[in-house]
Amino acid sequence: MGIGDWLKEQKGKAEAGVKQFANKDFMEAVAAGCALIASADGNISSEEKQKMVGYINLNDSLKVFKLNDILTRFNHYADMFAFDYNVGKAEAMKSISKMKSKSDAAKTLVSVCCSIGAADGNFDKDEIALVKEMCTVLGVNSADFQI
């Protein structure tokens, strides 16, 4: 399977799953995951924030949430990363870990984060490493996502 086909498959899984898990904890986990992946290089730049806003705004699977709500939560996590990377990562993982007992929601969250990581056409090693760490926290097999 080529990378293009894989990306389409992950996007399809993410869109179907997000609609099923539209609740506050899941929205919080999505916002945390977005900020985590955007922080892969240790710094969330204004360009990355704009990319994330654009992605959230254009992604049909995230339209079940109010854009302002998810952006507020994304900015909350981005601010934590700006304050201290380790604090931001710990807080993001805490929200992400709430999906651990919900296997389907956890897999959907990982699919969303894979899609976000690949949104710029370059799912780099740092982003992949964070998604793998997220998989470990969630008890999800990263091989299911071909990473």
Side-chain angles (χ1 to χ4, degrees):
M1 172 183 301
I3 187 80
D5 292 335
W6 177 82
L7 289 174
K8 286 178 187 172
E9 180 183 327
Q10 294 307 311
K11 183 178 183 234
K13 287 179 183 177
E15 288 175 357
V18 170
K19 290 175 184 171
Q20 182 180 354
F21 303 111
N23 63 56
K24 188 175 186 249
D25 284 344
F26 186 71
M27 185 215 40
E28 189 79 22
V30 167
C34 289
L36 179 65
I37 298 306
S39 75
D41 64 358
N43 179 42
I44 300 175
S45 68
S46 59
E47 292 81 14
E48 286 173 314
K49 285 181 185 181
Q50 289 299 322
K51 181 173 67 173
M52 296 307 302
V53 167
Y55 183 83
I56 291 167
N57 199 25
L58 295 174
N59 190 303
D60 289 339
S61 68
L62 296 176
K63 287 183 180 175
V64 297
F65 303 117
K66 290 181 182 175
L67 180 61
N68 193 47
D69 291 345
I70 197 166
L71 292 177
T72 297
R73 298 313 298 158
F74 172 81
N75 286 329
H76 166 78
Y77 290 104
D79 288 347
M80 286 188 173
F81 280 107
F83 173 72
D84 182 280
Y85 178 81
N86 291 323
V87 169
K89 184 177 177 183
E91 287 299 312
M93 285 297 192
K94 185 166 77 172
S95 290
I96 289 165
S97 71
K98 290 180 181 179
M99 296 297 108
K100 184 175 184 171
S101 64
K102 301 169 183 156
S103 177
D104 289 341
K107 290 177 183 176
T108 298
L109 175 59
V110 173
S111 290
V112 169
C113 290
C114 287
S115 295
I116 289 163
D120 63 358
N122 180 29
F123 195 21
D124 68 40
K125 66 178 178 55
D126 293 331
E127 292 165 333
I128 291 170
L130 283 170
V131 172
K132 285 184 175 182
E133 187 175 343
M134 190 184 306
C135 287
T136 299
V137 166
L138 293 169
V140 172
N141 186 349
S142 63
D144 292 347
F145 301 92
Q146 300 176 357
I147 56 172

